[in-house]
Amino acid sequence: MTDPQSWVAPTYQGLADLLTAAAVDTWDAPSLCEKWLVRHVIAHVTMPARLTPAQFGAEMATAGGNFTTLSDTVATRDASLPVADLLDQLRSPRLHAWHPPGGGAAGALSHAVIHSLDVTVALDRPPVAPAEAATAVLEQLIAAGGTWFGVDLTGVRLEATDTNWSWGRGQLVRADRGSLVALLSGRTLPDGRTLPSG
């Protein structure tokens, strides 16, 4: 079985390449993350490339131990960093080797894939994560039963249009595997589709 960590670097590198080639105003386009533009998503995912463990601890203390508050604060602040710096951080070996606390390689992969899709799906661009990585994250999200993002999978059947992956019984939801990952991550697709909350 492929080590999930081996898919992290190509995902971030692909995202950096996409944004390098994109128009400057792409950074100010909406992402799938509620209230976040593309630049906020990139500032969020590159946080491990900027903050030492001590700095992260200080940020967490300032946020009162609330990771959501920390994420919003850092994303809002660091989204104003120069685009060149954020692109360098997307390509950083430090970011590519990072594991979320308690999440291991699987957590690092899901973080990279989900947030890359927050950008590519919103921009209607091809996914940058390896196809096998998206399938692996689909399996992680299904194994968690929708609990990671509060999605209710009762009476839902998911079918990927770009591979033979499927799961469940009930009301059919068909989309490419990246869009299915986004739906299972509690996102609303550009066409308005979403999964019910759990």
Side-chain angles (χ1 to χ4, degrees):
M1 180 178 291
T2 303
D3 175 10
Q5 196 74 36
S6 70
W7 287 320
V8 171
T11 299
Y12 285 132
Q13 292 278 16
L15 192 55
D17 291 345
L18 182 151
L19 291 171
T20 297
V24 174
D25 60 1
T26 300
W27 289 78
D28 293 313
S31 76
L32 294 189
C33 283
E34 189 176 2
K35 299 179 182 178
W36 279 7
L37 305 177
V38 168
R39 65 174 60 252
H40 295 116
V41 175
I42 304 307
H44 171 70
V45 298
T46 55
M47 188 165 50
R50 288 190 303 280
L51 301 183
T52 65
Q55 289 170 326
F56 178 83
E59 294 278 4
M60 185 63 89
T62 300
N66 187 311
F67 183 73
T68 299
T69 300
L70 179 152
S71 295
D72 286 339
T73 299
V74 173
T76 300
R77 181 190 69 212
D78 292 354
S80 62
L81 289 170
V83 164
D85 290 356
L86 292 171
L87 289 170
D88 284 346
Q89 291 159 17
L90 274 176
R91 296 187 169 105
S92 167
R94 182 173 170 184
L95 174 63
H96 301 168
W98 172 79
H99 289 178
L109 178 65
S110 64
H111 192 254
V113 169
I114 291 168
H115 284 305
S116 74
L117 291 164
D118 285 333
V119 174
T120 59
V121 173
L123 296 177
D124 194 24
R125 303 291 176 84
V128 295
E132 301 90 345
T135 301
V137 174
L138 267 179
E139 295 290 350
Q140 289 179 33
L141 292 164
I142 288 298
T147 59
W148 285 5
F149 294 94
V151 172
D152 184 1
L153 297 177
T154 305
V156 173
R157 176 171 175 77
L158 304 174
E159 290 186 2
T161 57
D162 55 347
T163 184
N164 61 0
W165 187 92
S166 63
W167 177 90
R169 294 171 180 263
Q171 184 175 355
L172 178 62
V173 177
R174 297 186 79 242
D176 63 85
R177 74 189 102 185
S179 294
L180 291 178
V181 168
L183 287 169
L184 287 164
S185 302
R187 275 49 168 178
T188 300
L189 298 183
D191 63 12
R193 284 187 293 170
T194 189
L195 291 176
S197 299

